[in-house]
Amino acid sequence: MIKPSKPDNEAQRLLALQRYQILDTPRERSFDDLVTIATALCGTRMGAVTLVDQDRQWFKSRQLLEAAETHRDISFCGHAILQPDQVMVVEDALADPRFFDNPVVVDDPHVRFYAGAPLLSSEGLPLGTLCVFDALPGHLSVGQREALSALSRQVSLVMELRRYAHEIQQHMTDRAWYEQRLAEYNELLEQQNADLAEQSRTDPLTGLPNRRAMSAALEAAVIDADGQPRATAVALLDIDHFKTVNDLYGHATGDHVLAELARLLRAHFAGHGLAARYGGEEFVVLMPDTPLATAELQCDFLRMAVADLPLGLPLTISIGVAAHRHGDAIEQTLARADAALYRAKGDGRNRVIRAD
């Protein structure tokens, strides 16, 4: 095991950490929520907000982790803060000379995979990390790394908000100072809420709206401003044999394929539709004011455009398309499109099938 060294600015770093008055405080919902989002985005069972003190790492928030703190010498986060401008990823701790015999690797909680994004003070000093980890080896895509880094900035922002709140309480007698700090507090809070709202509605890898955002758009698209039904079509598309792409070319190439398909979808439906990532290699397209025959034709043009993408590997998609019927629930329309997609794959893939 290799113990983490200490940053050159260790004294300033510890002073900055003390100014936040956060060590040994009770758990708070705002930190727990960010850990929950981080583990969901990165697909891990465990996660934490870790603050690196002089001789220990202390967990402000933790998920599926028993200890409230551990010694700094055995901490992964002690290594992560040494590079405050990047996310540290350990795909398999047993294969890493720094950690293969670490007590938290060989004993509970048996950490094999770790990813930590440093938490920075307002002066840019590393205070700890937002980290996710698991008992199995793992991998983060570029999009997941960026999302984890974005969430770590949100944790730092919440810490700033706490510090402002303490300062406000201590200076209530100075009305001018109080009003100025309150305005800054509200501005930071609005920024955090806006960033979190955007992250909760956007897929980090492709930049497309996610399933939640598409559901809201579907509900709004099937009626016009006067409450009358609109001729709306919905298509579900799936990349053919995507598992083979990952197995033969690697997950990085798989992520590139998803990102390029997303770019094509944005261009293909710009101005007259909305595309979203539905999950995995499956996407959904909303086409308002579009009859089913026209939607089927647009989907066939998309299918041919995908086959011509300059990816260096063969790629095709299967598509099921359905028209929304007045009186049906959105889930029923999606189910009909999904059934059509299933038939398209069953009939040999690389084709468009429309629902009856």
Side-chain angles (χ1 to χ4, degrees), residues 305-346:
V306 169
D308 289 335
L309 280 174
L311 296 171
L313 55 91
L315 189 73
T316 61
I317 59 173
S318 301
I319 306 176
V321 58
H324 181 72
R325 299 187 297 210
H326 180 55
D328 279 1
I330 294 299
E331 291 76 12
Q332 291 173 285
T333 304
L334 288 169
R336 292 171 51 240
D338 189 55
L341 171 60
Y342 185 79
R343 293 202 305 273
K345 292 192 287 187

Side-chain angles (χ1 to χ4, degrees), residues 266-341:
R266 276 193 296 268
H268 194 78
F269 294 98
H272 58 274
L274 176 68
R277 188 176 182 190
Y278 204 57
E281 66 270 24
E282 196 170 55
F283 295 79
V284 60
V285 177
L286 169 64
M287 292 168 277
D289 301 316
T290 306
L292 183 57
T294 303
E296 182 182 18
L297 186 61
Q298 289 183 359
C299 288
D300 208 41
F301 287 151
L302 172 66
R303 180 188 62 80
M304 291 185 286
V306 169
D308 289 335
L309 280 174
L311 296 171
L313 55 91
L315 189 73
T316 61
I317 59 173
S318 301
I319 306 176
V321 58
H324 181 72
R325 299 187 297 210
H326 180 55
D328 279 1
I330 294 299
E331 291 76 12
Q332 291 173 285
T333 304
L334 288 169
R336 292 171 51 240
D338 189 55
L341 171 60

Side-chain angles (χ1 to χ4, degrees), residues 200-213:
S200 70
R201 297 173 63 85
T202 304
D203 174 61
L205 174 61
T206 64
L208 291 176
N210 60 17
R211 188 169 185 161
R212 175 183 176 186

Side-chain angles (χ1 to χ4, degrees), residues 2-7 13 47-53 56-59 61 65 70-84 86 88 90 98-99 102 104 111 114-119 126-133:
I2 300 177
K3 297 179 181 180
S5 58
K6 295 187 176 181
R13 191 190 70 80
V49 170
T50 301
L51 298 168
V52 181
D53 201 358
R56 61 170 178 159
Q57 62 170 357
W58 177 78
F59 304 118
S61 173
L65 189 63
T70 64
H71 201 280
R72 182 172 177 173
D73 286 348
I74 64 171
S75 71
F76 284 58
C77 299
H79 291 272
I81 65 170
L82 299 176
Q83 296 178 302
Q86 60 186 270
M88 186 182 93
V90 178
R98 296 172 295 178
F99 307 112
N102 191 300
V104 300
V111 174
Y114 169 93
L119 306 175
L127 307 178
T129 71
L130 170 63
C131 58
V132 295
F133 42 98

